[in-house]
Amino acid sequence: MMDSYHRIGFTDFNAILLFGQQDSDTTALSARKLHTKFAKRVEKYREEVLLTFKDRGLFKSMRKLQHRAHRCGRWTTKMQKKYDSIDRQETDFMLKAESNCAADFSNPVPWSVALMRAGTAIRYWNLRISQYSSGKVSASTMQSILTKARMVNYTGTLDQALTELVLARKSFRKCCQEAEKLCEKEL
């Protein structure tokens, strides 16, 4: 709390008092996965939503409901239930389309072969350093990592291996920066 001459007041919103009935969920919305700054993803989302709505006949159902309300001259509870049903379907389809079109990786850096090799090189140097101290790394593990990183077997000293590890980390950071730039360019 901070010092102030203002009086403290609380407001308790009651959905039933405010709206007269409790038809919909009043919880806060979750964060969206799809952002409008990625035009290709947004276009893919729009196309998927429109196609799904057409295939499921939601546009037709909404037009029928609108026509029925216009013809009756009033909005009935039966119409409201039908509308709520259509609305729930639309929301489900939109959330599904959002999941399909949003990025599905949590890492801000997209995968690339160069990035994979740089990461594998770091792993190689860490294992090589461990091998100097404990000697418990198998030859098959080392050979597998050498193949993935497209490196040749190292026979230098521990200090030289530590220097190589520092260089491998710098290379990895450079690959990450290049991948981020490429990602921004493509999206």
Side-chain angles (χ1 to χ4, degrees):
M1 286 286 209
M2 60 185 222
D3 293 334
S4 174
Y5 60 89
H6 294 285
R7 291 184 183 177
I8 297 175
F10 297 95
T11 304
D12 183 17
F13 290 106
N14 184 325
I16 296 172
L17 286 175
L18 286 173
F19 305 114
Q21 58 184 349
Q22 181 76 27
D23 278 346
S24 61
D25 187 14
T26 56
T27 58
L29 296 174
S30 61
R32 301 277 48 111
K33 299 175 193 172
L34 188 65
H35 300 281
T36 56
K37 66 182 179 182
F38 303 121
K40 290 179 184 176
R41 291 182 188 163
V42 171
E43 187 59 32
K44 181 181 174 187
Y45 169 79
R46 285 183 68 246
E47 289 172 1
E48 187 168 329
V49 166
L50 287 173
L51 182 65
T52 305
F53 281 18
K54 285 178 186 175
D55 288 348
R56 299 296 175 122
L58 295 180
F59 292 130
K60 188 177 179 181
S61 297
M62 286 301 286
R63 278 193 301 275
K64 282 182 177 179
L65 186 60
Q66 186 180 16
H67 179 69
R68 188 179 325 145
H70 183 68
R71 191 179 37 171
C72 291
R74 65 186 175 93
W75 190 257
T76 64
T77 55
K78 188 176 178 181
M79 290 177 196
Q80 183 63 41
K81 287 181 182 178
K82 179 67 174 171
Y83 174 80
D84 289 342
S85 171
I86 293 169
D87 185 54
R88 275 191 296 277
Q89 289 179 32
E90 288 175 347
T91 302
D92 291 343
F93 294 141
M94 291 167 77
L95 291 173
K96 177 79 169 130
E98 179 186 33
S99 294
N100 291 344
C101 299
D104 60 350
F105 52 85
S106 58
N107 191 349
V109 180
W111 184 89
S112 70
V113 174
L115 190 61
M116 185 263 317
R117 286 192 184 131
T120 306
I122 291 173
R123 180 152 192 251
Y124 170 78
W125 291 114
N126 281 328
L127 287 175
R128 177 55 79 188
I129 291 165
S130 294
Q131 199 173 38
Y132 279 116
S133 58
S134 67
K136 294 184 180 179
V137 181
S138 70
S140 63
T141 301
M142 293 303 289
Q143 188 57 46
S144 171
I145 292 171
L146 283 170
T147 304
K148 287 180 185 175
R150 292 195 178 176
M151 297 172 62
V152 293
N153 198 12
Y154 177 77
T155 56
T157 65
L158 175 61
D159 289 335
Q160 290 170 333
L162 289 169
T163 303
E164 290 295 328
L165 177 61
V166 169
L167 293 173
R169 287 184 176 149
K170 285 181 183 178
S171 174
F172 182 78
R173 283 191 290 273
K174 183 179 176 186
C175 283
C176 285
Q177 290 170 347
E178 289 172 2
E180 287 173 356
K181 288 177 186 175
L182 181 64
C183 183
E184 288 174 6
K185 184 180 177 182
E186 288 181 358
L187 301 176

